[in-house]
Amino acid sequence: MNKILVIDDNDSVRYSFKRLFSEPEYQISTAKTGLDGQCMAVNEHFDVVLLDVRLPDISGLAVLKEIKKNKPKAVVLIMTAFGTTETAIEAIKYGAYDYIIKPFDMPTIKSLINEALHSSHVMHTNVVLPTQEERDMIGDRIIGSSPVMQQVYKLIGRVAGSDVNVLIRGESGTGKELVARAIFQHSRRSQKPFLAVNCGAIPDTLLESELFGFERGAFTGAFRRKIGKFEQTNGGTIFLDEIGDMNQALQAKILRILQEGCFERLGGNETIEVDTRVIAATNKNLENAIDAGTFREDLYYRLKVITITLPPLRLHKEDLPELVDHFLDKHNASPQTSRFTLSPKAMDELMSYYWPGNIRELENIIRRAIVLCKGNVIGHELVREEFKSEPNTQERSRENETDLDAYLAMPGSGSLYKRVIAKSERDLLRAVLEHTQGNQVQAAKLLGISRVMLRDRITRYSL
């Protein structure tokens, strides 16, 4: 349930938000005065608070200060008219998440509020480590008791208490954001904001304004000043996921923040100082990117004060039973029904699989198997059906040996290397496209290549 509090003396505004969020997953509460709203926000839990600047009894800024004093992680959106934009900017300094301009553009507002709701849930959902006494408490969990995962937990414990920058490395789906949240929640900044930005999912033209904000009139469509993620997380932590996808112009700005703690909004001249801890993550080989000239070496060394490398699932398969139990409990649609279990043969299938998508792929397979299972025991046929396009490592090894023997038996024409590479590339592309059900965006991301390059290979190999 997404709980939203609207503090505004205008009856039509309160009514508009009730209509906008009329779906069952939202619960809207309202207050006409600042003091009533302040009392509700302090004494009850709300995921997001919408707060008008001008209230009949008390200033909205005073209400904001009191809310943040009692609940530092509260997500508060300020509502303001064009004439009080500067007041809204002042509110950001007091800890407001963002501000909304009146009159409202409802689709834009709903998108912003849903973004704020997501941020609120992330900040308030604990990430529980297996070594904690609170392992049974409600929250997201980092699963695994293997030696390689124990080393990860030790590093989280060592770096959480300091303000050093952290670089988290690992393949897609290994849980990099969970580790970043665990570091944040065990740090001195845990009562301040935490925001995650996927640098690979946002176009370069938008990522700069998302991170640093912009001034009104900075570009076509910039009708108001926007506060960027670095300002929103002042005093807290920002998680830059897939930082290896960031262009070099933005890398230079990130480097400046790490060195000097300041930046300018897009289209602005004012230098803004922030105290934000940066945790970055990547699934790319940054050393190769440095050699290729696509990633700044000075930024690399600034980020990797401490490096945490997450192992791919295929290197700690002894954690599979615990992971499976966790996802079976998590995705059981009805707690009243009997608990789902895996047959021994189904677990054998999981243990023999290569897991190119890592823990995220495992969770998706378990979720789908629960939906499709006719009883309470998930059989090996159902599990095999989920990843039948991906041969296990033993089968892949035998296939490669057979292919190589066949190539070696061919008359030499001086092109053995090219033929083997082309065959391997074609088989890889076919397997990935089958795994992503033909989705080229997902396939390119999984392969770590551009969509242009992927389309070229699809045409070349008639896939």
Side-chain angles (χ1 to χ4, degrees), residues 302-313:
R302 278 282 180 175
L303 289 172
K304 68 177 294 289
V305 177
I306 296 291
T307 300
I308 298 177
T309 302
L310 298 185
L313 181 54

Side-chain angles (χ1 to χ4, degrees), residues 102-117:
K102 295 180 179 180
F104 299 138
D105 172 40
M106 287 304 182
T108 302
I109 288 174
K110 192 163 188 177
S111 176
L112 176 60
I113 293 174
N114 280 326
E115 176 190 316
L117 284 166

Side-chain angles (χ1 to χ4, degrees), residues 359-379:
I359 296 171
R360 183 184 297 124
E361 182 183 11
L362 172 64
E363 180 174 7
N364 289 336
I365 285 176
I366 296 298
R367 182 192 291 127
R368 290 194 297 268
I370 288 174
V371 172
L372 298 174
C373 185
K374 295 180 180 179
N376 294 106
V377 178
I378 299 171

Side-chain angles (χ1 to χ4, degrees), residues 19-240:
R19 287 197 60 185
L20 184 63
F21 294 99
S22 58
E23 297 95 331
E25 62 265 31
Y26 299 100
Q27 179 181 318
I28 301 291
S29 300
T30 62
K32 291 184 178 181
T33 67
L35 290 175
D36 286 345
Q38 176 181 302
C39 182
M40 292 173 67
V42 169
N43 294 304
E44 301 176 42
H45 170 73
F46 292 98
D47 298 300
V48 169
V49 178
L50 302 172
L51 174 61
D52 191 26
V53 169
R54 293 186 178 179
L55 295 165
D57 57 339
I58 186 174
S59 163
L61 291 182
V63 175
L64 172 65
K65 291 178 184 178
E66 193 64 26
I67 293 174
K68 298 297 285 188
K69 175 183 175 183
N70 288 274
K71 293 186 173 180
K73 293 201 301 192
V75 175
V76 183
L77 289 168
I78 294 294
M79 297 184 288
T80 179
F82 283 104
T84 57
T85 299
E86 291 305 318
T87 304
I89 299 301
E90 189 72 16
I92 299 296
K93 298 177 182 178
Y94 296 136
Y97 177 83
D98 208 333
Y99 65 93
I100 300 170
I101 293 291
K102 295 180 179 180
F104 299 138
D105 172 40
M106 287 304 182
T108 302
I109 288 174
K110 192 163 188 177
S111 176
L112 176 60
I113 293 174
N114 280 326
E115 176 190 316
L117 284 166
H118 174 72
S119 297
S120 177
H121 291 317
V122 166
M123 280 191 281
H124 288 90
T125 302
N126 292 311
V127 177
V128 184
L129 301 179
T131 54
Q132 289 181 296
E133 294 179 0
E134 311 92 1
R135 62 181 296 155
D136 293 326
M137 69 186 290
I138 296 175
D140 292 334
R141 289 180 57 196
I142 303 177
I143 305 295
S145 54
S146 60
V148 289
M149 291 305 297
Q150 292 295 336
Q151 292 301 314
V152 171
Y153 307 145
K154 290 177 183 178
L155 277 173
I156 292 173
R158 289 170 183 164
V159 305
S162 66
D163 274 342
V164 297
N165 302 320
V166 179
L167 178 63
I168 305 172
R169 308 185 73 161
E171 295 178 9
S172 179
T174 50
K176 296 186 288 293
E177 182 172 342
L178 272 182
V179 170
R181 286 169 52 194
I183 293 171
F184 158 71
Q185 289 168 0
H186 290 82
S187 73
R188 293 192 295 265
R189 298 173 180 259
S190 61
Q191 295 304 309
K192 297 295 184 178
F194 172 90
L195 292 178
V197 180
N198 189 328
C199 303
I202 303 174
D204 290 339
T205 52
L206 299 179
L207 184 57
E208 182 175 4
S209 62
E210 190 72 16
L211 291 174
F212 306 108
F214 55 79
E215 297 291 345
R216 183 180 180 185
F219 51 83
T220 303
F223 300 116
R224 68 175 181 97
R225 178 186 286 173
K226 176 180 173 59
I227 302 302
K229 301 301 185 188
F230 273 99
E231 278 185 87
Q232 293 175 14
T233 53
N234 188 22
T237 303
I238 190 168
F239 173 53
L240 301 178

